[in-house]
Amino acid sequence: MKIKALILTFMLCMMPLWAKAQEASEEESVNVPEIIFGHIGDSYEWHITDIGETKVAIHLPVILYSGKSGWHMFSSARLEEAEYEGFHIDPESGKIVDADGERPFDISITKNVLSLMISAVLLLAVVLLTARWYRRHDALSEAPKGIAAYMEPLIMFVHGIAKDNIGEDYRRYSPYLCMAFFFILFNNYLGIIPFFPGGANLTGNIAITMVLALCTFLTVNLFGNKHYYKEIFMPDVPGFLKPIMPIIEVFSAIMKPISLTIRLFANMMAGHILILSLVCIIFIMAKYGGVLFGSMSLVSVLFGVFCDMLECLVAFIQAYVFTMLSAIYIGLSRPKAEHE
Amino acid sequence: MNLVTPDSGLLFWMVLIFAIVLGILWKFGFPMITGMVEKRTAHIDDSLRLAREAEERMKGLAEEQKKLIEDTQKQQSQMLKDAANTRDAIIAQARDEARQQADLMIEKAKVEIAAEKESALRDVRRDVAELSVQIAEKILRDRLAPQQKQSEYLDKLIDEIKEETK
């Protein structure tokens, strides 16, 4: 009984929306892929919301270098309507191209870059404030308070991952692992927040995850000891395997960062797509009206809540998995001398 | 699809920002925090170990004290026993000595008594002898009162002596 009453109340609440949605749907059908890819992709402006007909957006600076005309820097607002200084946004890729359709060297502050800056500032603020607590207080005689009390368990959690997986000189690598963990964690959670300054799909962007994975790759392969390289190029295997093993080992060393890249990127992107799709159901169903719209809206809201919670979990798990695997790879690159 | 092709601009910014943040946090952030926390962990471990040691030492002390008390009690009872023994021995010795002394005195007394008795007997005998001589004298005088008798007696005596000398 209670559930039925709840559903009914919900439907009644939705009623005014149906009418409006129906009106809209008559004019234009909902382009789901465009909405979804618009949200998870990058853009030259940060579209925050629409109030009535007015678009509320942050126009971000465009920075370009073209071989033909040198450096350009202007607001992305100039590109909204027409081309500016010989550049326009290619409607297909959504990127800035010049008159010939060629891509200039483009280091514009896009939505993702701004989000990256915001999260970097946040990360710096949080960690430096925590560090400041330890500088100002005697940690030996006082229990951590405030931000230090929140951050200490997390930082020590990552420190513990390093300790468990790397071995003796884990202190050398712990800062990098902490950095990777908190960077991913902050960006994951910022990505889940649906409004400014969150909402950018940063960790679901392959460029970001690739840089992170490359850092791990470089750490592993630059600081690997001689036993690690011996195992790759001159492993103790029967003669007929000698020529094959290095190929397999090198391949596996290259695959490790690729798997790190894809895992984080695909997980976070999939999460965003899932939630956006569930939200889109409401708008798709609008044109069918009536009971179908109401019930599907309810279903999609419930599933949306569920998926959002799942995403909160995944956001942490992915940060943990990335850090953990990085630690394991670093640990594997520092084997002790052969046991035999 | 541009989803799986990394964008060069974002790559550039990511590398730049990540490097800067990592550099700052490496210098002033994480090692500072983990270092302090590890120091504190070591401190806590040390304190716990010291506390445990102190507790053990206390326990040892209490045991030692108990043992000391026990020892003292044992010693005390030993001493009391010794004292009792000594006292008994002294008393016994004293008694022995006293008995010996008494025996000696009795012996002496006996000898003295015997000597006394002897002398007393001697006196008595002498007295008796004197007395009998006196009595005999009296009796003789009484018998020899008449002249005749005296001469008779003298004769008789002389005869006796003559006879003896013959």
Side-chain angles (χ1 to χ4, degrees), chain A residues 9-318:
Chain A
T9 322
F10 181 77
M11 283 179 178
L12 282 172
C13 293
M14 296 296 281
M15 257 212 269
L17 281 174
W18 300 343
K20 203 168 179 209
Q22 262 171 322
E23 262 172 50
S25 65
E26 275 158 22
E27 288 159 22
E28 47 184 321
S29 65
V30 184
N31 186 350
V32 176
E34 198 191 293
I35 292 173
I36 291 178
F37 286 111
H39 272 90
I40 64 173
D42 209 349
S43 61
Y44 290 99
E45 52 166 34
W46 197 322
H47 183 198
I48 295 169
T49 185
D50 285 326
I51 300 173
E53 292 296 305
T54 347
K55 185 168 150 193
V56 180
I58 302 172
H59 293 289
L60 300 162
V62 172
I63 305 165
L64 301 170
Y65 178 79
S66 163
K68 296 167 204 158
S69 50
W71 288 99
H72 298 269
M73 192 173 154
F74 48 87
S75 164
S76 64
R78 311 218 187 256
L79 288 170
E80 261 187 356
E81 304 298 325
E83 66 166 43
Y84 183 80
E85 292 184 6
F87 298 100
H88 65 276
I89 295 177
D90 179 31
E92 235 173 83
S93 64
K95 303 282 181 196
I96 291 176
V97 291
D98 62 14
D100 307 329
E102 267 176 59
R103 288 272 287 130
F105 179 59
D106 180 358
I107 50 166
S108 309
I109 311 288
T110 59
K111 179 182 168 189
N112 276 348
V113 174
L114 182 62
S115 172
L116 178 65
M117 288 169 169
I118 291 170
S119 74
V121 168
L122 197 64
L123 183 59
L124 278 176
V126 167
V127 177
L128 290 180
L129 280 175
T130 310
R132 196 182 68 160
W133 190 92
Y134 285 95
R135 235 194 327 272
R136 294 212 173 157
H137 295 76
D138 180 17
L140 296 187
S141 58
E142 259 179 276
K145 272 196 243 5
I147 196 162
Y150 282 101
M151 289 302 286
E152 191 196 296
L154 273 177
I155 292 174
M156 293 321 286
F157 168 69
V158 183
H159 195 62
I161 295 174
K163 195 176 180 178
D164 294 341
N165 292 301
I166 295 178
E168 277 170 24
D169 48 357
Y170 67 94
R171 280 188 187 81
R172 249 175 88 190
Y173 301 98
S174 155
Y176 165 66
L177 292 173
C178 285
M179 174 67 193
F181 179 82
F182 287 104
F183 182 83
I184 297 171
L185 192 75
F186 275 47
N187 282 309
N188 282 354
Y189 281 117
L190 276 176
I192 293 173
I193 298 171
F195 43 81
F196 186 84
N201 176 34
L202 204 58
T203 39
N205 188 300
I206 200 158
I208 302 293
T209 61
M210 204 170 82
V211 172
L212 285 168
L214 269 176
C215 286
T216 298
F217 178 78
L218 290 177
T219 314
V220 167
N221 289 289
L222 290 181
F223 300 113
N225 62 15
K226 58 175 191 246
H227 302 293
Y228 169 69
Y229 283 108
K230 186 182 170 294
E231 272 174 27
I232 289 182
F233 295 111
M234 286 186 299
D236 283 329
V237 289
F240 68 93
L241 282 174
K242 289 243 188 218
I244 308 170
M245 285 311 284
I247 300 170
I248 295 173
E249 289 285 354
V250 168
F251 186 68
S252 116
I254 294 169
M255 281 315 288
K256 278 171 187 167
I258 294 179
S259 77
L260 282 180
T261 307
I262 305 284
R263 182 180 300 110
L264 181 57
F265 151 71
N267 265 295
M268 295 323 294
M269 194 185 64
H272 281 257
I273 290 179
L274 196 62
I275 292 168
L276 287 169
S277 306
L278 283 164
V279 174
C280 280
I281 287 178
I282 299 173
F283 298 101
I284 294 169
M285 284 299 154
K287 69 175 162 204
Y288 299 105
V291 180
L292 194 58
F293 173 50
S295 54
M296 284 311 285
S297 297
L298 179 69
V299 168
S300 78
V301 166
L302 289 179
F303 268 95
V305 169
F306 172 73
C307 284
D308 247 340
M309 288 179 168
L310 194 69
E311 273 306 289
C312 289
L313 189 66
V314 168
F316 183 85
I317 290 174
Q318 284 307 318

Side-chain angles (χ1 to χ4, degrees), chain B:
Chain B
M1 216 158 87
N2 62 15
L3 270 183
V4 286
T5 44
D7 182 62
S8 59
L10 188 55
L11 268 180
F12 167 81
W13 284 111
M14 170 64 186
V15 170
L16 188 72
I17 292 173
F18 192 78
I20 291 171
V21 175
L22 180 61
I24 293 174
L25 292 186
W26 198 304
K27 192 96 179 47
F28 307 107
F30 295 118
M32 166 105 207
I33 298 166
T34 54
M36 283 303 259
V37 174
E38 279 194 336
K39 221 197 276 174
R40 196 186 59 203
T41 310
H43 178 73
I44 291 171
D45 281 349
D46 263 8
S47 306
L48 283 177
R49 191 172 47 75
L50 282 178
R52 207 158 34 233
E53 274 174 15
E55 200 185 342
E56 248 155 54
R57 215 177 306 140
M58 285 287 283
K59 219 188 274 171
L61 268 178
E63 229 150 75
E64 213 169 287
Q65 197 184 15
K66 216 165 107 189
K67 221 168 89 187
L68 213 72
I69 290 173
E70 255 170 38
D71 274 2
T72 316
Q73 274 171 348
K74 220 183 273 173
Q75 229 163 358
Q76 187 191 17
S77 69
Q78 184 66 39
M79 272 164 78
L80 281 175
K81 217 192 276 174
D82 281 356
N85 282 348
T86 315
R87 184 196 61 199
D88 284 354
I90 289 171
I91 289 173
Q93 203 186 345
R95 204 176 276 153
D96 271 3
E97 266 173 28
R99 194 177 295 132
Q100 273 172 13
Q101 206 92 26
D103 282 354
L104 220 67
M105 274 163 75
I106 288 168
E107 202 67 34
K108 225 171 162 182
K110 266 184 191 162
V111 170
E112 255 169 44
I113 287 168
E116 229 30 60
K117 202 165 129 194
E118 200 71 22
S119 83
L121 271 175
R122 243 197 327 267
D123 280 358
V124 168
R125 249 186 238 130
R126 199 180 53 227
D127 283 354
V128 167
E130 265 175 28
L131 223 69
S132 14
V133 170
Q134 274 173 6
I135 291 168
E137 212 182 71
K138 273 191 180 140
I139 292 168
L140 266 169
R141 209 175 281 155
D142 193 43
R143 277 211 200 139
L144 298 176
Q147 240 16 90
Q148 193 196 351
K149 273 209 184 164
Q150 274 180 14
S151 38
E152 258 172 46
Y153 187 65
L154 272 174
D155 289 342
K156 192 188 158 192
L157 277 177
I158 294 163
D159 286 348
E160 267 176 24
I161 295 164
K162 266 182 191 167
E163 228 160 276
E164 264 174 36
T165 50
K166 253 190 222 170

